[in-house]
Amino acid sequence: RARLQGRAGLRFYTADIDARAHEQLVLEADLRRALERRELRLHYQPQLDLQTGAVVAVEALLRWQCPRRGLVAPMEFIPLLEETGLIGPVGDWVLAEACRQASAWHDAGLPPLVIAVNLSPLQLEDGDLAQRLQRHLEQARLQPERLELEITETTLMRHGAGTLAMLESINRLGVQLALDDFGTGYSSLGYLTRFPLHTVKIDRSFVSQLPRHEYSVEVVRAIAGLAHGLGLTLVAEGVEQPGQVELLRELGCHRLQGFLFARPLPAEALSAWIAARN
Ligand code: C2E
Ligand code: MG
Ligand code: MG
Ligand code: MG
């Protein structure tokens, strides 16, 4: 009887895997068409200067407006984009679109903003990335200093021979580099000095524990000390409560990003939000 159950269990299990494998295939086929069908969107989340409260930067965050699935979050399809190599063309579209939008906001009279764009590790392995970046900046007529590329510790950890050289080329263009989700990976302090970084983003998992969780307070204090010592701009992501702002102010954080201020918004809604604040 146990054996029979076991076999039945196995049958359900394989049926389940079949269904999931099938769903993956359908997802992949849909994703392949998403770019040409113009179903990809960027939403933008503001970063505020902690001293002045002004919006000084905006992070571009990818969304997929799928006709069948609705608005799909990046965690649900970026891994597949990376597996299939589609992250190449999609990542390039994200860069071009973010530069175009930043330039359009500038033309519309918004105060100068830095546009932050997330970069997949695979994009850094593309030897043409720096040239492509330069082309996007020129086409959008955007100053390189207005573009900030966010990379994660994992990207640096697994970096191939070309990664450091590529980061240096990007740095020479005048484009800024930010280390995203800091504190979650291996947090090798060496990364902060070995790579040409401008900005460090403290991960939400620490920020969300402020101001009461002592361990997180000390982690953030240490990161802030490092950032100050190395002359890096410090950004806190995932700020949801006023109490977090007060502690981050004490610790000398420069910019704040989080639902307390705004969720990621479509471009139009973001510029309306900025206009309403000023
Ligand atoms: P990330 O770069 O760390 O982006 C911040 C994420 O935290 C965003 O999720 C944002 O909506 C969320 N967030 C911001 N403030 C708060 C808050 O106060 N509370 C909470 N609970 N969440 C907050 P999102 O948009 O779902 O993006 C998830 C991740 O997907 C990003 O994490 C990034 O790693 C990746 N991603 C997004 N867009 C792109 C892209 O264009 N290219 C690549 N390669 N990765 C991207
Ligand atoms: Mg990011
Ligand atoms: Mg982050
Ligand atoms: Mg994060």
Side-chain angles (χ1 to χ4, degrees):
R1 215 181 119 77
R3 233 171 116 181
L4 268 178
Q5 264 180 359
R7 289 179 62 137
L10 185 67
R11 208 156 52 225
F12 286 125
Y13 180 64
T14 51
D16 201 39
I17 288 194
D18 279 351
R20 260 191 294 163
H22 180 254
E23 174 51 28
Q24 281 291 99
L25 283 176
V26 175
L27 182 66
E28 186 179 327
D30 286 351
L31 261 181
R32 285 191 185 281
R33 288 187 288 255
L35 191 58
E36 64 195 51
R37 290 186 181 172
R38 299 170 184 274
E39 292 168 0
L40 299 177
R41 306 272 179 274
L42 291 181
H43 283 189
Y44 300 90
Q45 189 179 29
Q47 293 178 5
L48 282 67
D49 182 297
L50 200 152
Q51 292 300 322
T52 66
V55 178
V56 288
V58 164
E59 180 174 7
L61 294 156
L62 186 58
R63 304 286 183 262
W64 175 22
Q65 186 63 61
C66 173
R68 275 197 291 154
R69 298 175 178 81
L71 195 65
V72 189
M75 287 322 212
E76 291 176 44
F77 64 94
I78 286 181
L80 197 58
L81 289 179
E82 289 178 333
E83 267 171 52
T84 54
L86 284 167
I87 194 71
V90 169
D92 202 50
W93 174 83
V94 170
L95 284 164
E97 177 62 13
C99 289
R100 188 200 60 75
Q101 185 59 63
S103 181
W105 279 327
H106 182 81
D107 292 345
L110 258 71
L113 298 169
V114 166
I115 183 89
V117 178
N118 293 283
L119 217 59
S120 156
L122 293 172
Q123 288 176 273
L124 277 172
E125 282 170 24
D126 167 9
D128 293 332
L129 178 64
Q131 280 158 323
R132 238 197 283 279
L133 279 172
Q134 191 163 24
R135 218 169 31 235
H136 292 320
L137 290 165
E138 279 168 10
Q139 252 162 29
R141 286 173 293 106
L142 189 72
Q143 290 173 308
E145 299 71 28
R146 298 264 159 235
L147 179 62
E148 183 169 79
L149 300 180
E150 298 194 359
I151 53 179
T152 63
E153 287 170 90
T154 329
T155 300
L156 299 184
M157 206 175 68
R158 291 191 308 209
H159 74 276
T163 302
L164 178 58
M166 180 54 73
L167 292 175
E168 279 165 350
S169 313
I170 292 172
N171 183 46
R172 273 195 301 275
L173 283 180
V175 170
Q176 317 263 316
L177 288 164
L179 192 53
D180 203 355
D181 303 342
F182 191 71
T184 53
Y186 284 74
S187 301
S188 161
L189 304 183
Y191 294 153
L192 293 180
T193 52
R194 205 176 327 142
F195 298 95
L197 301 167
H198 304 83
T199 302
V200 172
K201 296 186 79 174
I202 310 169
D203 192 64
R204 187 173 84 222
S205 58
F206 300 108
V207 174
S208 66
Q209 306 265 30
L210 305 179
R212 266 178 267 288
H213 193 278
E214 272 177 45
Y215 172 83
S216 296
V217 173
E218 289 317 313
V219 169
V220 174
R221 192 192 305 281
I223 296 175
L226 263 169
H228 291 143
L230 296 170
L232 299 166
T233 297
L234 189 63
V235 180
E237 65 178 6
V239 178
E240 294 185 352
Q241 293 161 25
Q244 296 165 348
V245 178
E246 286 325 302
L247 186 70
L248 288 162
R249 186 194 306 280
E250 274 170 46
L251 297 179
C253 184
H254 300 104
R255 298 189 217 148
L256 305 176
Q257 175 180 353
F259 292 176
L260 177 64
F261 310 104
R263 290 182 176 254
L265 298 166
E268 302 263 292
L270 183 84
S271 42
W273 185 86
I274 293 177
R277 266 182 78 84
N278 296 342

